Amino acid sequence: MSMTMTQKILAAHAGQSSVTAGQLINAKLDIVLGNDITTPVAVNEFKKAGFDGVFDKDHIAIVLDHFVPNKDIKAAEQSKQCREFACLHCISHFYDVGKMGIEHALLPEQGIVTAGDCIIGADSHTCTYGALGAFSTGVGSTDMAAGMATGEAWFKVPSAIKVELSGKLKKNCSGKDVILTLIGMIGVDGALYKSLEFTGEGVAALSMDDRLCICNMAIEAGAKNGIFPVDEVTLKYLEGRSERKPIIYEADPDAVYESTVKIDLSTLCPTVACPHLPENTRPASELGDIKIQQVVIGSCTNGRMEDMETAYKILKDKKVADGVRCIIIPATMQIMRECVERGYVTAFIDAGAVVSTPTCGPCLGGYMGILAEGERCVATTNRNFVGRMGHVKSEVYLASPATAAASALTGYITEPEEV
Amino acid sequence: MNAKGKVFKYPDNVDTDVIIPARYLNTSNAKELALHCMEDIDADFVKKVSAGDIIVAGWNFGCGSSREHAPLVIKTCGTGCVIAKSFARIFYRNAINIGLPILECPEAAEEIAAGDNVSIDFDTGVITDITTDKVYHAQPFPPFIQNIIKNGGLLASLKKEK
C-alpha cells in the first residue's frame, strides 16, 4: 500500500507496516512539548488523573516563552508551577529565563527534534518541525498530559495535499511570502485535518529558516502538519546538532494525494495578509498608503537568524519613521547573542528600534507591544485575528521580515524594494 | 445524553483568540477564565448565556491557537453543545478530550437562527429546532471517540484502560 511521507512516519511509530487515511492509530512519541500557558493546564490534569510519573524525562520539553520574563503575578505563578513540575520529574529539556527561546525556534536549534520524529506539542505552531522531515502537530493540554504519562497519542491518519514547488525565490522574497501565498490560495481551512507535503525541485533552494517558517504556518491553513523531504540542507542543519539519529522517510512515488497545488517560487512577490484572517493576502505593492504605528519583527514564525539578518540589512544606517514603534525580538538566546556579536543590536538601536529578549509577548497580545484602539501593526507573526495583538479595533498585517523592516522606515506598508 | 437551550449564532472562522483572548491566559482557573468567554466577538455572551444553551457557528470553528482554555470556557459557561459546519482540528480534539459536546452539521448550522430553541439527542445525533419544528441529523462520533466521551474524557479513559 503506497503512503505519503506523513503516513510512513505514523505507521513506523504505530508499529504497523502500513496505514491508510482515516485510520485511527496509537503512535509512540519522540517528544512531548508544552509552554508556560499550556503546561499548567496539563499539570493540573496530570495530577487530577493520578499519574505519578512521566514516561521518559528525556523526551519531554517544557519551554517558558509566552509571558516570560514574567509579565505579572499570575504569569509568575504559572511559570513557577511549570518549574516545580519540571524539577519534580527531572525533565531534562526544561528551558527557563536565561536559557529559553521561543519554543519552535529553540527545539530545532538545540537538536531536540530531528528527522523522522513523531512529536506533539501543546502549542498550535508545533507543526514547525515538519521542516526537518518530522511528523509534528499541535494538540491541547490534555493530550500533553496523556503524552507525558504514556508516551503515546491517538491520531486519525491524515490524507495530504501535495504542494509542488518549482523555481527560485526572487530577492526580497522569503519563506513567509511562500506560506502567505499558499494560505491565500487554499484558505484558512483549505488543509483542514490534512497534511501539507511540500515537494518539487524548488525545495532545494529553500534555506532551513525558510522551511521552518513555511511549516510553522501550516496550521494557519488548518493543516494537521506540514512536512518537507529530507535533503542535503536538512542533513547539514542536523549535523552536530541532533540529539538522536535522524531517520529519513520518503513518500512513495505512487502515494495518493487529495489534490496538488503548484507554486512557481520565481513568480512570488512580497505578500501581506490583511486583517482579520491570514487568507486575506495581497501583494505589498498594491496596498497603497496604509499608515502604521507599530512594527514587530520576531515570533516563532520569523525570529530566526536569517530574519534578523534581513532586518539588519534594511534598517542599518537608517531611521525608523516618526510615529512608528519598531520592536525586534530575536527568538532564542543564541540568536540574540549572535545579533549582539554581529553588531545588529547596535544597528537596530541606532535606527530607533527596541530589542527584547526572546518572548512570544506581542504576537498573541500578551505584552511587549499591545495595540490601542485604531492602531495598525505590520508584524512578522502568524495571526491577524480580531484583537490578536491588543484592542478589538486594532489591526495586524502579516508580512515577511523584509516587508516589515521596510515599512518601519516609511511608516506605511512598503515593498522592500522601495527602501 | 441530551441538551436543550436557546441558540447563540456566530459566523465562519471563529478563532480561539475571540473565544478566550490571550490577555487572560495568565491563569488556568476555569471559572476565572469563563468570565471572558467569547468576549472579543460577543461581549454580552457571558451575561446572556444560561445552562444548556447552544452555540451555532459556520465553518472552521475554533481555528488558531491550541489553547484548551477555549473549549474549557465554553463548557464552564454551561453551554450544552456547539454545532458548527466544521471545526478546526485542534479545537475538535480538545473538545472531545475535555468532554464538551460538539456536532458537525452544515445544514443545521446554516438554517438554525439566533434565539431559536433547540434540543439535541447525542446518542442519535438528532438536532431539533423547536422554534421552526425542523429536524437535522448530525454524524455521530466514531466508536473510538464515543468511548473517550463515555469514560469522561481522555485521561479518565486512559486510567480505565490501565
Side-chain angles (χ1 to χ4, degrees):
Chain A
M1 191 70 200
S2 66
M3 288 187 279
T4 65
M5 187 173 170
T6 299
Q7 289 166 356
K8 280 204 176 163
I9 297 175
L10 285 173
H13 285 80
Q16 302 194 22
S17 56
S18 84
V19 294
T20 53
Q23 190 181 340
L24 285 157
I25 55 159
N26 252 325
K28 291 212 179 307
L29 301 169
D30 295 297
I31 289 290
V32 179
L33 164 73
N35 59 49
D36 51 322
I37 304 286
T38 57
T39 305
V41 179
V43 167
N44 294 345
E45 293 302 315
F46 188 91
K47 283 184 186 158
K48 225 189 316 174
F51 292 116
D52 38 23
V54 297
F55 83 105
D56 189 332
K57 68 178 181 62
D58 298 327
H59 290 259
I60 293 168
I62 296 175
V63 184
L64 309 186
D65 59 1
H66 276 58
F67 292 163
V68 302
N70 304 323
K71 81 178 183 103
D72 56 27
I73 295 169
K74 284 182 181 174
E77 296 293 342
Q78 297 210 121
S79 286
K80 191 176 161 196
Q81 195 184 355
C82 296
R83 202 172 289 128
E84 285 170 354
F85 181 85
C87 182
L88 180 67
H89 296 283
C90 307
I91 305 298
S92 28
H93 298 305
F94 172 64
Y95 289 88
D96 207 336
V97 174
K99 267 169 67 191
M100 56 71 72
I102 298 176
E103 52 200 314
H104 309 308
L106 187 74
L107 264 58
E109 174 196 279
Q110 297 295 318
I112 298 164
V113 286
T114 194
D117 274 358
C118 178
I119 303 152
I120 61 166
D123 188 281
S124 59
H125 294 109
T126 302
C127 50
T128 308
Y129 319 134
L132 304 174
F135 170 78
S136 191
T137 192
V139 295
S141 296
T142 296
D143 276 315
M144 182 195 174
M148 288 197 298
T150 64
E152 291 183 7
W154 67 269
F155 296 109
K156 195 168 167 183
V157 176
S159 60
I161 296 175
K162 186 181 191 175
V163 184
E164 230 173 75
L165 304 176
S166 62
K168 248 179 132 168
L169 286 172
K170 285 186 295 209
K171 189 176 172 253
N172 291 328
C173 283
S174 66
K176 186 62 162 283
D177 301 298
V178 178
I179 189 63
L180 288 177
T181 300
L182 176 62
I183 297 165
M185 289 166 82
I186 66 173
V188 291
D189 60 353
L192 191 57
Y193 304 121
K194 301 183 185 94
S195 307
L196 282 172
E197 297 212 347
F198 296 90
T199 170
E201 46 98 6
V203 167
L206 289 172
S207 70
M208 187 46 71
D209 282 4
D210 280 332
R211 297 178 194 190
L212 289 162
C213 170
I214 290 169
C215 283
N216 174 274
M217 283 187 73
I219 178 69
E220 262 45 80
K224 184 167 204 151
N225 68 309
I227 197 164
F228 271 84
V230 176
D231 63 5
E232 277 173 32
V233 173
T234 327
L235 294 175
K236 198 173 162 221
Y237 180 85
L238 293 173
E239 202 187 331
R241 192 190 293 267
S242 178
E243 274 182 358
R244 278 165 282 115
K245 199 174 171 315
I247 301 172
I248 301 171
Y249 294 90
E250 285 176 335
D252 287 318
D254 58 345
V256 179
Y257 297 90
E258 279 211 5
S259 58
T260 300
V261 178
K262 291 185 180 181
I263 298 178
D264 178 352
L265 299 174
S266 66
T267 64
L268 300 191
C269 61
T271 301
V272 175
C274 300
H276 288 284
L277 281 176
E279 69 184 21
N280 295 338
T281 52
R282 301 263 305 274
S285 59
E286 284 178 16
L287 285 171
D289 189 14
I290 297 181
K291 282 240 165 296
I292 55 164
Q293 289 75 40
Q294 183 165 294
V295 166
V296 172
I297 300 173
S299 83
C300 62
T301 312
N302 278 130
R304 297 186 181 81
M305 207 56 223
E306 278 181 17
D307 304 318
M308 294 298 124
E309 193 175 341
T310 300
Y312 166 76
K313 284 181 179 161
I314 293 173
L315 294 175
K316 77 168 165 173
D317 303 326
K318 303 257 178 63
K319 288 281 176 204
V320 169
D322 284 342
V324 176
R325 292 106 53 184
C326 181
I327 302 164
I328 303 177
I329 310 178
T332 68
M333 290 309 291
Q334 196 171 306
I335 295 167
M336 177 131 204
R337 192 175 199 283
E338 201 159 338
C339 285
V340 172
E341 279 181 358
R342 292 194 196 178
Y344 292 3
V345 172
T346 309
F348 292 152
I349 292 170
D350 287 348
V354 297
V355 184
S356 160
T357 58
T359 176
C360 305
C363 171
L364 75 162
Y367 71 126
M368 280 296 294
I370 304 302
L371 299 172
E373 182 174 354
E375 288 190 328
R376 290 198 193 99
C377 176
V378 176
T380 67
T381 57
N382 41 58
R383 291 189 177 128
N384 54 356
F385 300 148
V386 169
R388 173 76 177 176
M389 200 177 275
H391 197 278
V392 286
K393 285 181 182 159
S394 61
E395 293 184 344
V396 175
Y397 291 77
L398 304 174
S400 69
T403 305
S407 304
L409 294 178
T410 60
Y412 58 90
I413 296 173
T414 303
E415 263 203 300
E417 233 176 55
E418 279 185 44
V419 296
Chain B
M1 208 171 113
N2 294 297
K4 192 177 170 207
K6 68 172 184 297
V7 166
F8 289 82
K9 189 139 189 198
Y10 300 108
D12 295 341
N13 301 315
V14 172
D15 61 77
T16 54
D17 279 286
V18 294
I19 297 172
I20 178 70
R23 58 183 177 274
Y24 301 120
L25 298 184
N26 54 3
T27 176
S28 59
N29 181 312
K31 281 189 182 150
E32 211 179 318
L33 286 162
L35 298 173
H36 306 286
C37 183
M38 309 302 276
E39 187 170 297
D40 282 0
I41 189 171
D42 180 0
D44 292 332
F45 176 80
V46 173
K47 283 178 241 162
K48 290 188 194 156
V49 70
S50 312
D53 283 352
I54 290 155
I55 289 175
V56 177
W59 301 106
N60 204 27
F61 185 88
C63 60
S65 148
S66 70
R67 63 189 73 153
E68 205 162 282
H69 315 66
L72 195 64
V73 291
I74 292 175
K75 188 185 170 190
T76 307
C77 279
T79 312
C81 180
V82 183
I83 301 169
K85 290 182 185 172
S86 67
F87 291 91
R89 64 159 283 274
I90 305 179
F91 184 94
Y92 183 92
R93 203 179 163 100
N94 286 346
I96 291 162
N97 283 345
I98 67 149
L100 168 71
I102 57 172
L103 288 174
E104 254 180 18
C105 187
E107 204 193 350
E110 178 67 33
E111 293 181 2
I112 293 171
D116 282 5
N117 269 305
V118 165
S119 74
I120 299 162
D121 183 332
F122 291 110
D123 294 331
T124 58
V126 170
I127 301 167
T128 309
D129 188 330
I130 301 163
T131 309
T132 61
D133 209 20
K134 266 197 98 167
V135 173
Y136 307 91
H137 297 271
Q139 274 291 337
F141 285 121
F144 175 83
I145 290 173
Q146 271 184 30
N147 200 39
I148 292 178
I149 296 170
K150 220 186 295 164
N151 287 330
L154 180 66
L155 291 177
S157 188
L158 282 174
K159 259 184 100 179
K160 211 168 162 190
E161 282 165 20
K162 241 180 19 180

